[in-house]
Amino acid sequence: MPKLKLFSLAIALTLALVFIFGCGKKSVVSDLIPPTVQITSPADASILSGDTIFVNVTASDNQGVARVDFYVDGETLFTDFSSPFIFPWLILVYNDSTVHTLSAVAVDGAGNADTFAISVTVRVAPGVYFISSTTTAATSYYNLFVWGNYAAVAQQGNGIQIFDISNPANPQFLSSYNTGGGSANGVFVSGNYLFIAYGAVGLHVLDVSNPAVPIYRSSLDLPGSADVENVFVSGNYAYLAAKNSGMYIVDLSNLDTLVALSQYNLGSGNAFDVKVIDTLAYIAYGGEGLEIVNVKNPLIPAFVGRYTPAGSALARRLDVVGNRAYLALQNAGLDIVSLAIPSAPVQLGNYNTTNSFFTGVQVDGNNAYLANRDDGVQIVDVSIPATPSSITFFNTEGQANNLIFRNSFIYVADQSSLTLLRYVP
């Protein structure tokens, strides 16, 4: 066969194959059409009040809407993946008369997006409000510590748990630590380290530079029958309040080798709590009341003064602000004590209620925030120490064992949960 015919046949076969296989391929058409989205309620420039506002959105797309992301002031708070697109927005976490930008972003399967934004004003009336409650398989949320965006909760018999509280309306469990076999009674965070008052086990130290992955660093077993109830860290020292054993001072200068420097145990009561300010340690000493100790020389802590409450009161927790101490008393209310003369502390006033069983206290400004065990949280005006008066209360669902007040939020170790409240004066 002539070469020209062979060449023509080859071209023909090639064209035929291109036609056959080309017709079998489907053309790919890119989705370049974005969805449309609109916030139908609330309306722009609305003034909102109450607790939860339901933000309603309509969204459509030629290929279907994959999701709608909801933003408040540029922060993603919620995502809905199916119509109707609704965001339950808890507004009680915001300050009164503040303006916020509320945005909805609709996204389709190809990643195309459309945004709709409005501006609203939030009004929050005075009062105490429930914000959220979170729990895991906890046995007893007994004590807690709050730092930055995190809360660590001590569980009696079950170690500690760490939560992300950056969104108070939806705290997230991050991690736990439960090695040592003791009862986690107290917790304190200083820098990147978390210190656990671990009951009969003593003291444990964790590296929490990444709170989602706490790492054991070291521990210290105490002699005898010491039952460590709480821990306070100041500088290079940890101060341990121990039942039946008073206060221990631990050298933290080398976290790999903890050293107990001294023990203070002049009182006959149980040491439940300790705070250190400058060179003085203040101990909630159970039936002994308040003990003041000079710890300038940590090797030789020295007695300074003592305040004993009336009757059979038991000092469980304390706070020290300025020249006053506030003692949370089991069955005897709140004692306010003058520290103007540390060697001779005297009572300035007492606040008490029927069935009071105060297990936690924190003072901020003119207010004392009290954990009242079975009766939840009480807020007391202590601006006039001689006549403290009730402001309001909130009965939590669990047993309020202790609390911390930060930036208008009250974090409660509520026996079976970490409960968050909001106080608006």
Side-chain angles (χ1 to χ4, degrees):
M1 183 180 291
K3 292 183 179 180
L4 180 59
K5 289 187 176 181
L6 288 174
F7 180 74
S8 299
L9 180 60
I11 291 176
L13 288 172
T14 300
L15 292 173
L17 289 173
V18 169
F19 176 79
I20 293 171
F21 288 102
C23 291
K25 291 182 180 179
K26 295 182 179 179
S27 60
V28 177
V29 179
S30 297
D31 179 9
L32 301 177
I33 303 174
T36 59
V37 63
Q38 182 178 11
I39 297 175
T40 57
S41 68
D44 188 31
S46 292
I47 298 177
L48 308 178
S49 60
D51 50 16
T52 300
I53 301 298
F54 291 94
V55 181
N56 292 274
V57 161
T58 58
S60 60
D61 183 76
N62 64 318
Q63 299 293 328
V65 176
R67 71 179 193 273
V68 174
D69 298 323
F70 293 86
Y71 294 78
V72 176
D73 299 330
E75 179 182 0
T76 308
L77 292 188
F78 189 75
T79 297
D80 201 345
F81 294 94
S82 61
S83 178
F85 301 104
I86 301 174
F87 165 35
W89 183 29
L90 183 68
I91 64 172
L92 293 175
V93 299
Y94 302 98
N95 291 330
D96 182 45
S97 300
T98 52
V99 178
H100 302 275
T101 300
L102 181 59
S103 306
V105 179
V107 183
D108 65 17
N112 302 307
D114 184 34
T115 300
F116 191 93
I118 62 174
S119 179
V120 295
T121 300
V122 168
R123 298 299 309 270
V124 181
V128 180
Y129 299 101
F130 173 83
I131 299 299
S132 62
S133 181
T134 184
T135 187
T136 58
T139 55
S140 175
Y141 283 169
Y142 184 69
N143 209 339
L144 73 168
F145 190 93
V146 173
W147 80 107
N149 288 325
Y150 306 101
V153 184
Q155 303 176 85
Q156 287 192 317
N158 224 12
I160 62 104
Q161 294 183 346
I162 299 177
F163 295 87
D164 183 337
I165 54 172
S166 56
N167 179 4
N170 187 27
Q172 296 294 309
F173 169 77
L174 286 181
S175 60
S176 63
Y177 172 86
N178 187 23
T179 301
S183 180
N185 296 322
V187 60
F188 194 98
V189 175
S190 178
N192 289 326
Y193 296 97
L194 183 148
F195 301 82
I196 306 173
Y198 230 140
V201 174
L203 175 68
H204 276 222
V205 182
L206 309 180
D207 184 334
V208 290
S209 51
N210 179 1
V213 187
I215 300 172
Y216 170 84
R217 180 66 182 266
S218 59
S219 60
L220 176 67
D221 293 333
L222 297 174
S225 59
D227 184 1
V228 183
E229 174 75 8
N230 216 347
V231 54
F232 186 91
V233 175
S234 179
N236 286 326
Y237 302 102
Y239 301 84
L240 310 181
K243 296 177 182 177
N244 303 320
S245 303
M247 177 184 68
Y248 290 87
I249 302 178
V250 179
D251 185 355
L252 303 177
S253 57
N254 181 357
L255 285 177
D256 294 319
T257 307
L258 304 178
V259 178
L261 298 177
S262 59
Q263 178 186 9
Y264 174 89
N265 194 24
L266 293 184
S268 59
N270 290 316
F272 282 92
D273 199 6
V274 59
K275 299 282 191 300
V276 177
I277 299 177
D278 296 328
T279 61
L280 294 179
Y282 303 87
I283 307 172
Y285 228 130
E288 294 288 328
L290 170 66
E291 198 104 340
I292 303 174
V293 182
N294 189 320
V295 292
K296 184 175 183 179
N297 182 350
L299 296 172
I300 312 175
F303 172 82
V304 173
R306 176 182 296 147
Y307 166 77
T308 303
S312 59
L314 181 69
R316 293 289 299 259
R317 301 290 180 212
L318 83 162
D319 198 9
V320 178
V321 179
N323 64 354
R324 293 171 188 164
Y326 301 82
L327 297 182
L329 304 175
Q330 180 176 319
N331 304 322
L334 172 73
D335 265 1
I336 304 174
V337 180
S338 172
L339 304 174
I341 305 175
S343 60
V346 295
Q347 185 193 68
L348 296 176
N350 173 270
Y351 172 82
N352 203 358
T353 62
T354 304
N355 301 323
S356 70
F357 193 115
F358 293 147
T359 53
V361 56
Q362 183 178 342
V363 175
D364 185 271
N366 290 327
N367 297 339
Y369 299 84
L370 302 168
N372 195 16
R373 203 174 171 94
D374 294 330
D375 291 327
V377 172
Q378 289 198 8
I379 304 176
V380 177
D381 184 343
V382 292
S383 58
I384 304 175
T387 57
S389 58
S390 175
I391 297 175
T392 187
F393 70 94
F394 188 97
N395 198 352
T396 57
E397 291 191 2
Q399 180 175 285
N401 290 318
N402 206 353
L403 56 75
I404 288 179
F405 176 81
R406 289 284 187 279
N407 299 325
S408 80
F409 290 96
I410 306 170
Y411 303 84
V412 187
D414 202 30
Q415 187 68 15
S416 59
S417 69
L418 170 64
T419 296
L420 275 67
L421 308 176
R422 172 88 189 281
Y423 173 57
V424 180

